[in-house]
Structure formats: structure tokens, C-alpha cells
Amino acid sequence: MKIPYNRLHVHRDIVFAARGGKIHTFSLQDGRHISTWQHPDVEKVAKAIESNAKAEAEAAEKEHALAAHQVAGPTPEEDEPPAKKQKLASGAESEVQPEEPENDAAKPKSNGKKDKKKGKQGGENKRTVSRVPDRPVITHLTSDAEGKSLVAVTGHDKNIWVFDHDGEGNITQFSQRTMPKRPSAVVVGPDSQIICADKFGDVYALPLRGTTSVGPRVGTPQSTSSAPIKPAASALTVHSKRNLRALSEQQKRIELASRSKGDASDTKSDEPNFELTLLLGHVSMLTAMALAEAEGRRYIVTADRDEHIRVSRYLPQAYVIEGFCLGHKNFVSDMTIPVGKGQLLVSGGGDEELHVWDWKSGQLLSKTNVLSLAKEIAPETSKVAIVGLNSLVFPSEDGDVCYVLAICEGINAIFSWQVTDENTLNHPGIIQLPGKPLHLTIATAEGAPPKILTAVDPGAEGKAKSLHVFTLLQNEGRIAVDQDVTVHDTTLEAGEMEVPEAEVQSLLYNTESLRKQSAEADETGEAVEPVEEAQEDSSVMEE
């Protein structure tokens, strides 16, 4: 199968659609393809796969020929041992047949392991298989308010990419910056700052129009600081075995760096060579982030794998924690602030319900069940994992009506609720999809009903299209689909490589994996992530 579209963003009449390591732009009006940007590693992956396929085919051909030769048996000439040539005194040569050993004990013994190893490494069946680079996947896509700069994140290389956008769908790479840890959420602030959360639990700020390198990947040259950054956490502040392991490993690295500092002038540092400001940190992997505003003050709302939602002040006082929204019993994977609802926040993740908050005070206002709706589409469903939350405003004669939308991993539907004046989610609705949803975004136009753009996984059979545009209507307080248009370019589709379905699953389906193992499993040591993953996914920053 081919990698489907997995990330979408809309600015006015331009659709930015990412699939794997490519960004395609389309016209929202007629679905016309405008331009394409491709990550440099896409071509590297294609060449490595092609080279390995060729090597495998050659090796298979040699093995087939050898097997056929063994079945046919050796020729009479090959069956006899080769004659030795003995030089005579006159200078002529004569052939002397080798003497047969008198018993089996006199026969030379063969070492099976050595022969096997020799056959693999130095014989006719030698295979040359090169390592295939990590397949690039764009995990986040957004832009500034004017749509002049497009921001993308690729997780495999921890890069944040900034593109110039001419307003007509043509994008040009402006900068490429490698973050210390893999980004897990990104937004563009009103002051042209990129706010980036990572899987280690930290939130950074970096200028939108920063480094202008467009060549090779930005490295991590010498540190300009005089001392290594020490973790603010300690064994008393972390609360899981994984975090303790991560803290221990980080402390070891810091001690090692301190000892070796000054010993080698060309030692590379993990600190980037561009302006980067640490704003705040959690003690767990960050999963979602939103910018909020109340009473003229801006805030950063962050959510993590440990069920926490934190409200912090915006720059330059991001170290000030305003409060928490506590009540989830499982991971929080996404949040949305409904349009026009001020201090209202809707969050969801591994719980059965969506939570509605007054984020400023941290008060839980209401809950609404998602699992019951999911069972109407998939009756066997026993748990849900929210992939995305969004909101839209539907204009009507009685005034604007706000709706919240949700998609769940593996459930072929979009769920919707109307946001009431009592701060509850009512009038649940279901929009059925032809495949599993991967991402959705909203397109709005003044005086016209909004549209939902959805990236769908067509599956291995590929009967459905991957990119859908739904025009909406209202029906008894619910939103419904008035028209479904697919954006599909046959030429682009033909140029995509075939990818094993299992690889697509591992690349695009990772929300349910946020669900923690039981405490019993953690005690026995089963199903516990390796230390390396714990270092990547856990934070040692003190709250």
C-alpha cells in the first residue's frame, strides 16, 4: 500500500497536505495540485530499498542456480578429485592422483560453523544488504496567522522546517533546525515565536524567522554555555520507574560530560547553534499544547502522558504556573479551545469521556461519553484513544453555533457535539468515514458553512481516497454532511512508493501506545520500555 495523507492544514483557499515525507499544496476551490516539497531522506530511502531489492534478487538467483546444480549432481569430471602435478627432474610435469586415506579417522575433519560462515561471508551466496534510513514522516503542520510561513515537523530527525509561502500555494524552504529532543507539539505564537513541546517534557521557544540554512541538516556544534544544564528533577520528584531510569541516565551523561570537558577541543555538544529558550518542563512526555488568552494575558496550556493539564503564563513569564486541570485518569492526547468560548477547554485521550474545563480556574465543568458513540460504529470497541480534537462555528439565523469534533484511532467516524450555553456538549452526531481517520482540520469562509478536511487511511486495498473535503449543514442541532469531495491527483499517487502495511501502522498509529501498562506489569519488568525509549519519552524537569 501507499502512505496516506496523515497531516493537514488550511489557510484560506490553500490546502497543505502531508503524506510521509512530502508536503503537497492544493487549491481548496477545485482540488488542483499546486506544488510539492520533498524531504531529502525520501530519495535516500527509495535508493536504499531499490539497492537492497536488487541485491536480494541477485542472491536469490545464485541460490536457485546452486540448488539446481546440486539436484543435477556433479559431472564425472567434477566427481574425481583434481590431480596434483609433480615436477620431474627433467623439467616435465606429470599428474599424480591423491592417495585415499585408509580409514575415516584419517580424513580431514570439517568445521561446520566455519564452513557455514565462509559460505555466508566469502562464498557465492554472499549478500550485501545496506541499512535503509528511517522513513521521514511529517508529524505536525501549521502556519502563522498571515499564512506567510508554513511550519512542519519531522520526527525521525527532530527537525523543525520553516517555509516561505507566497499565498498562492507555492512554498520554498527557508530554514531547518534540529531540536534537542523529538518535538511532540508545535504552535506559532502571535509574536512570531515557534513554541515547541517535546517528548522529553520540555517546552522551548525559537524565532520563526531564525536560522536561514537550507543546505545539509543543521548539526549541534560546540556549546556556548560554561556548564552543562543540570536536571531540575530529583529522585524525590519523579514518580515512575521509567522516569527514575531516565533521570539516572541523564545524571550519568552530565557527570561524564563534566569530566571530559576541556579534554578535547573538537568534542561536539548536544546544544543547537540557533537561538533556543527553555520555557517550562513536565515530568512526563508532552502530548498536546495550546495557546490561550484571558483578560489581556496570554497562556500556554500543556498536557502530558501522566494525565496532567497545566496552565502557564506566556513569554517572558512562562516559568509562572497559573494552575492545573486535574481529572483525567489516562493520558491526554489532544485539546481544543472552542472558537468564541474564551476560557472553555475540551480535552481527551485514553479516557472514555471528553472533559470540559474552565482552564483559567482549573474547574471541571462537564464530561461527555465518547465510547458509547464509538460502539455505534464498532460494537466490539472496549476503549478509545482520541487522535484529534477541533472546533468550528456554524453560522445560522439564530446566531453562531459552536461544535466540537473528535476522531478516535481506528474508528471510521467523526464525532461531533454542540457546545451549549451551560458549558456542556450536547446533540451528539456521527459522520461515517470510508476509512480510519488520521487527522482533520477546518476550513472557514465568511458567510459560508465551514468545511471539514479529513485525512483517511484507505487501507491495504486502497478502495477509498485519502483526502476528503466535507461541506456541512445543520440538521436538528447536529452537523451533517451536505457534500463529500475527494482531492485526488493520479500522477501524485502513481509516484508514491509501495510500503508494507505493518510499516504504515507503526508510523501513523501511535496514540493507543501512550496508554500505560498495568502496575503489575511494571513490577515484574514485563512490557517495560527500554532505557533509550524512556530517555526519549520521559522528562526529568521538575514541575
Side-chain angles (χ1 to χ4, degrees), residues 401-404 416-420 424-428 474 477-478:
V401 182
C402 183
Y403 291 88
V404 168
S416 65
W417 297 265
Q418 184 183 129
V419 183
T420 68
T424 61
L425 302 182
N426 205 349
H427 298 296
Q474 275 186 313
R478 297 175 174 84

Side-chain angles (χ1 to χ4, degrees), residues 156-176:
H156 77 294
D157 55 7
K158 308 173 188 176
N159 274 359
I160 293 181
W161 307 77
V162 177
F163 302 88
D164 289 323
H165 178 224
D166 66 353
E168 302 295 331
N170 299 298
I171 58 175
T172 306
Q173 182 181 326
F174 172 77
S175 67
Q176 172 190 2

Side-chain angles (χ1 to χ4, degrees), residues 433-480:
L433 298 174
K436 300 174 183 177
L438 298 172
H439 192 236
L440 66 81
T441 190
I442 309 299
T444 59
E446 187 175 354
K451 297 179 180 180
I452 301 176
L453 282 78
T454 308
V456 172
D457 183 358
E461 297 179 359
K463 294 181 179 179
K465 304 304 181 192
S466 182
L467 182 51
H468 291 253
V469 180
F470 298 107
T471 303
L472 304 176
L473 55 81
Q474 275 186 313
N475 183 15
E476 298 180 352
R478 297 175 174 84
I479 57 173

Side-chain angles (χ1 to χ4, degrees), residues 205-469:
L206 58 157
L208 176 65
R209 309 297 293 183
T211 307
T212 58
S213 61
V214 294
R217 181 179 307 167
V218 175
T220 53
Q222 292 266 11
S223 171
T224 57
S225 61
S226 59
I229 298 176
K230 295 183 179 180
S234 68
L236 300 177
T237 60
V238 296
H239 53 281
S240 70
K241 287 188 174 181
R242 186 184 322 126
N243 284 346
L244 284 171
R245 289 196 300 268
L247 176 61
S248 175
E249 291 297 320
Q250 187 182 22
Q251 289 172 337
K252 289 179 182 178
R253 290 198 303 271
I254 291 173
E255 291 176 4
L256 187 61
S258 298
R259 293 175 189 169
S260 59
K261 187 170 183 178
D263 294 343
S265 58
D266 58 344
T267 301
K268 290 187 177 181
S269 165
D270 288 335
E271 294 187 17
N273 65 338
F274 52 87
E275 183 180 347
L276 190 64
T277 304
L278 177 63
L279 302 181
L280 57 95
H282 283 228
V283 294
S284 180
M285 179 204 306
L286 285 171
T287 54
M289 181 171 57
L291 299 184
E293 186 173 354
E295 301 173 353
R297 188 188 292 271
R298 297 191 182 101
Y299 299 87
I300 303 174
V301 185
T302 48
D304 64 31
R305 190 183 182 185
D306 283 345
E307 309 95 39
H308 302 137
I309 298 175
R310 183 203 289 185
V311 180
S312 307
R313 291 186 185 178
Y314 193 70
L315 279 71
Q317 296 179 314
Y319 56 86
V320 177
I321 300 175
E322 286 288 328
F324 293 87
C325 299
L326 303 178
H328 280 279
K329 294 184 180 352
N330 218 307
F331 65 88
V332 182
S333 54
D334 206 3
M335 305 178 293
T336 185
I337 297 176
V339 180
K341 291 298 180 178
Q343 294 182 196
L344 216 60
L345 174 75
V346 180
S347 61
D351 293 319
E352 296 180 5
E353 308 94 355
L354 294 182
H355 291 54
V356 182
W357 309 87
D358 180 333
W359 59 263
K360 188 68 168 58
S361 65
Q363 181 183 359
L364 178 62
L365 302 176
S366 64
K367 295 182 183 181
T368 189
N369 196 279
V370 183
L371 182 60
S372 59
L373 282 182
K375 286 186 174 181
E376 295 185 26
I377 301 298
E380 72 282 358
T381 302
S382 60
K383 56 186 177 181
V384 292
I386 301 295
V387 174
L389 288 172
N390 216 317
S391 68
L392 61 83
V393 170
F394 201 105
S396 66
E397 296 179 356
D398 299 329
D400 293 343
V401 182
C402 183
Y403 291 88
V404 168
L405 310 176
I407 54 175
C408 301
E409 191 168 81
I411 307 296
N412 297 13
I414 300 173
F415 305 114
S416 65
W417 297 265
Q418 184 183 129
V419 183
T420 68
D421 294 335
E422 294 76 26
N423 298 325
T424 61
L425 302 182
N426 205 349
H427 298 296
I430 300 175
I431 299 175
Q432 289 193 323
L433 298 174
K436 300 174 183 177
L438 298 172
H439 192 236
L440 66 81
T441 190
I442 309 299
T444 59
E446 187 175 354
K451 297 179 180 180
I452 301 176
L453 282 78
T454 308
V456 172
D457 183 358
E461 297 179 359
K463 294 181 179 179
K465 304 304 181 192
S466 182
L467 182 51
H468 291 253
V469 180

Side-chain angles (χ1 to χ4, degrees), residues 85-88 90-95:
K85 292 184 178 181
Q86 185 175 11
K87 193 169 185 178
L88 303 179
S90 60
E93 293 182 349
S94 65
E95 293 187 353

Side-chain angles (χ1 to χ4, degrees), residues 64-94:
H64 179 73
L66 180 60
H69 178 74
Q70 291 175 345
V71 170
T75 62
E77 291 80 4
E78 292 175 334
D79 194 32
E80 295 294 333
K84 290 184 179 179
K85 292 184 178 181
Q86 185 175 11
K87 193 169 185 178
L88 303 179
S90 60
E93 293 182 349
S94 65

